[in-house]
Amino acid sequence: MLQIQNTGFFILLLGVLVTVHELGHFLVAKACGVKVLKFSIGFGPKLIGFTKGETEYQIALLPLGGYVKMAGDLPHEELSPEEASRGFLAQPPWKRGLIVLAGPAFNLIFPILIYFFVYLGPHQTTSTLVGNVSPGMPAVAAGIRPGDRILSVDGVEVRTFNDLTDAFVGRFGRPVPIVVDRGGERRTIQVTPDKSVETSPIDTVERGQIGVSPASRAAIVGVPPGSPAEQAGLRTFDRVLAVNDVPVQDEGRLHHAVSKHPEGTPLKLTVRRLDTVAAGVVTGRVPKVLEFTVARQAGEGLAALGAEPADLYLASVAPGSAAEKAGIKAGDRVISINGEKLHGFHQLAVRLNALKETPFTLVWRGEGGERTEKLAQAPLPTEDGMGTKSAPLALGVRSWMVTPSDVPPPDEVTVHLGPGAAFKQAALVVPTIVGQMVKVIGGLFVGSVPLSTVGGPIMMYQMASKSAEQGLDSFLHLMALISINLGVMNLLPIPVLDGFHLLSAAWEGIRRRPIPVRVREVANMVGLALLILLMLLAVTNDVTR
């Protein structure tokens, strides 16, 4: 049943796009007085059809294209004297150019209509509520906290996280004023973004990066030895659920909850602790809820509890690994690597990945205090769930694995666009995508975009199925992208494509004579060969995938 449904979405996708393309040729040909003999969606044997006026309309068996058959569109085709003036080749070059251009033009205009309906009305999207602030990034130095809602960047209002990201394009290396809402109070914060260069085969974008994300983190504590948190009974990896009976869903709510209390105030903490239990050879974690009281400390967030983030505390050390042989144990905290202070486990993983088997100096803190050792990653035998064995280079340590229930969904905001705003946004996004598509096609010719990215019917079938599963907006977005792709591709001056016919009409309009028949015949053979090679490449890539 699912296979039939996916096939239906695939046929719908192709059918609509082919109809739009051929409708462009058809309507403009009619407007120019050219006789249209047949309008076909699909190739091959006719499935259904009817004749109205002088035109036969049909749906054919193979839904991989379509065509508009016009009278007199072949050089040696004979027409009756009364219809000779209505033949395609009998038209002046400018009319033939318009008819040819109409198909790709409709494919480029149609996405504006699609995006208009996608953007029109209310939509839920990720807001500018800061869920997480990356350690060591400019946002930390500027004092931005989880739970702050960013309202504007350098005077530019932002409502969604995409707006926020776009606002930092070209803004880096200088102080940028950011207005945030913190607990109902507006504050202006100066932050100096780092420069980030995002390079792809399509484009290179330079933007500022301050280190905030909408994905919030659960308030999971790391407990240093001798700290007020340890003295109160907290353990590393306890998750704070409430402060003085006020629910705490994430670090942002924790910041807000502790900020209401002056230093020295007793704070009643409700925490969830996962104790490891063993049942035979199987181990698991059993949750239990506990309560502790700790005096409010100086600082914000976890620091106000006398604790710190748990990100650099090690949840497990693999038996027989380089880490275990060096004396590293679960619960130890990593401090630095090769003299570079670490701010998060991801930073450690990136450094280890780059070092491979090269020795490095690691500083960590355990029960006996800080230790410094010279280490090197070593092959660590592993076996996945399918029984496949491997031995990748690894240090053999893991951070705390957050459960899905520990990750609150990002905050969302409703954005409502009226007809005017929806049309404006649609009219702006389509030219941008066209420009990106042109760069991709150019990259295929010069080699900066790999040929393995070319896809055919199987890839399109998979994309149609997947986008349909994700919802109507995703399916319409895919339809718009493929329509733009068809429009741009058809404008290429390759024989048998619309672009070559447009070039021929322009040539005749300028030179006052058509391209020689022999040149046209050779060009058509070369163009057909190129298209066959492209189709073979696309199908080969599809099968390989």
Side-chain angles (χ1 to χ4, degrees), residues 142-163:
I144 297 176
R145 306 173 185 170
D148 288 348
R149 187 180 297 275
I150 299 177
L151 303 178
S152 68
V153 175
D154 209 6
V156 178
E157 181 184 0
V158 291
R159 291 195 62 202
T160 70
F161 204 82
N162 284 336
D163 293 343

Side-chain angles (χ1 to χ4, degrees), residues 22-204:
E22 300 304 334
L23 190 63
H25 293 313
F26 173 79
L27 292 178
V28 176
K30 286 282 192 179
C32 290
V34 175
K35 183 178 181 179
V36 179
L37 301 175
K38 183 179 290 187
F39 181 95
S40 177
I41 303 302
F43 297 114
K46 178 173 71 174
L47 294 178
I48 58 173
F50 63 92
T51 300
K52 184 176 180 181
E54 60 188 14
T55 305
E56 179 187 1
Y57 302 86
Q58 71 171 28
I59 296 177
L61 180 62
L62 300 176
L64 299 178
Y67 62 92
V68 172
K69 170 61 180 173
M70 290 173 276
D73 57 2
L74 298 176
H76 305 296
E77 184 177 349
E78 294 185 4
L79 298 176
S80 61
E82 61 272 13
E83 291 185 346
S85 62
R86 298 187 62 199
F88 174 73
L89 294 178
Q91 306 305 310
W94 68 269
K95 280 191 176 183
R96 299 204 307 273
L98 283 179
I99 295 170
V100 169
L101 179 63
F106 269 47
N107 277 132
L108 296 177
I109 295 171
F110 181 57
I112 297 179
L113 183 64
I114 292 177
Y115 282 120
F116 170 77
F117 286 108
V118 169
Y119 294 142
L120 184 65
H123 297 278
Q124 292 292 112
T125 187
T126 305
S127 77
T128 58
L129 184 71
V130 177
N132 182 37
V133 181
S134 301
M137 293 297 288
V140 174
I144 297 176
R145 306 173 185 170
D148 288 348
R149 187 180 297 275
I150 299 177
L151 303 178
S152 68
V153 175
D154 209 6
V156 178
E157 181 184 0
V158 291
R159 291 195 62 202
T160 70
F161 204 82
N162 284 336
D163 293 343
L164 178 63
T165 303
D166 293 340
F168 280 105
V169 173
R171 290 184 170 94
F172 48 81
R174 63 175 178 85
V176 175
I178 295 178
V179 178
V180 303
D181 181 315
R182 180 176 295 167
E185 177 187 350
R186 287 189 173 223
R187 300 186 180 198
T188 300
I189 298 174
Q190 298 288 333
V191 60
T192 303
D194 291 339
K195 181 180 179 180
S196 172
V197 180
E198 300 170 4
T199 303
S200 71
I202 297 174
D203 209 353
T204 298

Side-chain angles (χ1 to χ4, degrees), residues 307-329:
E308 61 184 356
D311 194 36
L312 284 169
Y313 284 82
L314 303 178
S316 64
V317 178
S321 65
E324 185 190 51
K325 293 175 182 178
I328 300 174
K329 299 178 180 179

Side-chain angles (χ1 to χ4, degrees), residues 147-378:
D148 288 348
R149 187 180 297 275
I150 299 177
L151 303 178
S152 68
V153 175
D154 209 6
V156 178
E157 181 184 0
V158 291
R159 291 195 62 202
T160 70
F161 204 82
N162 284 336
D163 293 343
L164 178 63
T165 303
D166 293 340
F168 280 105
V169 173
R171 290 184 170 94
F172 48 81
R174 63 175 178 85
V176 175
I178 295 178
V179 178
V180 303
D181 181 315
R182 180 176 295 167
E185 177 187 350
R186 287 189 173 223
R187 300 186 180 198
T188 300
I189 298 174
Q190 298 288 333
V191 60
T192 303
D194 291 339
K195 181 180 179 180
S196 172
V197 180
E198 300 170 4
T199 303
S200 71
I202 297 174
D203 209 353
T204 298
V205 178
E206 295 182 345
R207 74 171 80 241
Q209 193 173 53
I210 63 173
V212 298
S213 79
S216 56
R217 296 197 308 181
I220 298 177
V221 301
V223 181
S227 64
E230 184 186 54
Q231 294 168 12
L234 291 170
R235 293 184 194 170
T236 296
F237 305 131
D238 284 348
R239 179 189 173 182
V240 180
L241 301 177
V243 175
N244 289 346
D245 297 322
V246 176
V248 170
Q249 291 87 2
D250 52 30
E251 285 190 358
R253 272 73 170 191
L254 177 66
H255 275 263
H256 184 66
V258 299
S259 66
K260 298 177 179 180
H261 304 284
E263 188 175 340
T265 303
L267 301 176
K268 185 179 77 169
L269 305 180
T270 305
V271 304
R272 184 209 64 195
R273 179 173 296 170
L274 297 178
D275 284 338
T276 302
V277 295
V281 295
V282 179
T283 60
R285 295 188 294 187
V286 176
K288 59 182 177 181
V289 177
L290 305 169
E291 289 187 353
F292 302 94
T293 300
V294 62
R296 194 338 182 152
Q297 305 296 306
E300 302 292 340
L302 292 171
L305 310 181
E308 61 184 356
D311 194 36
L312 284 169
Y313 284 82
L314 303 178
S316 64
V317 178
S321 65
E324 185 190 51
K325 293 175 182 178
I328 300 174
K329 299 178 180 179
D332 290 355
R333 185 191 188 277
V334 184
I335 296 174
S336 67
I337 182 170
N338 284 341
E340 179 186 1
K341 185 178 179 181
L342 295 169
H343 299 288
F345 192 84
H346 176 71
Q347 185 183 3
L348 173 65
V350 170
R351 299 294 180 273
L352 292 174
N353 185 58
L355 286 167
K356 301 189 184 312
E357 68 274 1
T358 305
F360 56 90
T361 300
L362 190 72
V363 179
W364 74 94
R365 185 182 69 219
E367 292 181 356
E370 285 192 10
R371 289 186 57 186
T372 303
E373 294 286 346
K374 195 81 170 180
L375 301 173
Q377 298 185 94

